[in-house]
Amino acid sequence: MEYQKNNIKSTQRAENEIDLLEVLVLIYRRLAALFRWLGAALGAGATYLLRKSLWLALFIALGVVVGVVMDRRIPKIYRSEAIIRSNNLETNIVADHIEKLNNLCRLKGYHELSIQLNISEHEAEKIHSLSAYYGLLTHTDLLRGNVQPLHYAKKYEWDDTSIVVSRFVKVMVKVLDEDVYVNLTPGLLHFISNNTFGYKMNTLRVEQLKSQIAYTEQEISTLQQIQAAYTSKSSSTVQLELSSTLRKSEQVQLHETINKLYASKKELEREYTLFTQPATVITDFSKTYRPTVGLYMNIAKASIAIIIVGLIALLLWENRKKQRSLPKA
């Protein structure tokens, strides 16, 4: 009985191995057939292109001509970027406002765009698009004290706890004339600042900074007086008061507290000196003198399009000739 069971298992294993071998052979044959078909198709295509090399050269020459004409006729678009720090409004609010400006560009609402940016309507017509990118910081960046982000993203998942949104926004602009940059930067600052709630928020923030600086200075002065009074006493007097007033460990803590207050004051003064306005330009737009689509790109696009259309037209023409040459029933 045991022998029969083992014999059945061996037979089933052999059948399974045969089935697997047949599947592998079938896959190999299908792949070999596919590669042969691809090789034949590529060979036929190469042969056809060699036969039509004169037509191909004509299409390329026509593409060069069309590309040159396109480069001269189509308005050139230039791209630049600036980094702005929002001091009063959250980054998502600034990004949404800039997206509204971009909608005006798409709808060609140049009159309203000129009002929002406080520029002339002629300059507004030169703006092709505006895009905002969030400045993102990792927790490692924050631990290292990095406040200006190295990475910017068009979209941000707010439930992503590994990333923190900074106050910095990168504004990407595409224009038809790079002379617009001169007035575009002040226009963006005007647009971000021209917000009643944002203006009140910024006024309150500046007043709070002044109060914090004054309070920190007062605390430093008070602690310095205590420190001076302590160090001016004779050593014997100090020893008598160790148990009731300041101990040496408390003297060290006093010194550390004063240093922390100085560091806090330094940061507050930096904020008050550099960022009292609702928004601050960190890096401005700059001229690149290079359009986003240049002459060679226009030639390549035109040539590829003409070659594809031309080859399709040739194939249709040859197919029509063959159909005409066939004997009629």
Side-chain angles (χ1 to χ4, degrees), residues 10-28:
S10 300
T11 304
Q12 290 177 346
R13 191 182 303 112
E15 289 178 351
N16 291 334
E17 290 176 355
I18 292 173
D19 292 341
L20 179 59
L21 183 60
E22 290 178 351
V23 170
L24 292 175
V25 170
L26 180 61
I27 293 174
Y28 170 77

Side-chain angles (χ1 to χ4, degrees), residues 18 46 60 73 110 115 119 121 149 157 164 175 186 192 209 228 238:
I18 292 173
I60 293 174
R73 294 290 181 88
Y110 300 123
I115 294 175
I119 59 178
E121 192 168 342
E157 299 294 336
V164 177
V175 299
I192 297 173
L209 282 173
V238 171

Side-chain angles (χ1 to χ4, degrees), residues 41-183:
L42 291 175
T47 304
Y48 182 79
L49 291 177
L50 286 175
R51 285 174 44 223
K52 303 298 180 181
S53 56
L54 292 178
W55 282 103
L56 195 60
L58 179 62
F59 295 152
I60 293 174
L62 185 59
V64 172
V65 173
V66 173
V68 172
V69 173
M70 287 173 54
D71 185 72
R72 293 185 178 181
R73 294 290 181 88
I74 297 177
K76 294 180 175 61
I77 297 176
Y78 302 88
R79 181 174 56 200
S80 186
E81 59 188 38
I83 296 176
I84 296 177
R85 183 185 189 267
S86 176
N87 303 323
N88 58 343
L89 296 174
E90 296 296 331
T91 310
N92 62 318
I93 298 177
V94 176
D96 290 341
H97 285 352
I98 293 176
E99 184 60 30
K100 292 177 182 177
L101 292 179
N102 191 47
N103 291 334
L104 290 175
C105 293
R106 285 202 299 263
L107 298 173
K108 297 184 179 180
Y110 300 123
H111 179 69
E112 180 64 23
L113 184 63
S114 65
I115 294 175
Q116 295 293 333
L117 291 175
N118 195 28
I119 59 178
S120 67
E121 192 168 342
H122 175 71
E123 289 175 320
E125 292 174 356
K126 301 295 183 181
I127 302 174
H128 183 266
S129 65
L130 286 159
S131 302
Y133 293 80
Y134 295 97
L136 304 179
L137 291 169
T138 63
H139 291 289
T140 304
D141 294 331
L142 295 176
L143 290 175
R144 293 176 179 175
N146 297 334
V147 294
Q148 186 166 343
L150 299 176
H151 179 65
Y152 292 84
K154 179 67 176 176
K155 294 182 179 180
Y156 169 70
E157 299 294 336
W158 294 99
D159 57 350
D160 187 357
T161 58
S162 64
I163 298 295
V164 177
V165 178
S166 69
R167 289 187 171 272
F168 294 87
V169 180
K170 179 186 286 185
V171 181
M172 185 82 70
V173 63
K174 292 182 179 180
V175 299
L176 305 177
D177 185 359
E178 291 195 296
D179 291 336
V180 176
Y181 298 151
V182 177
N183 295 324

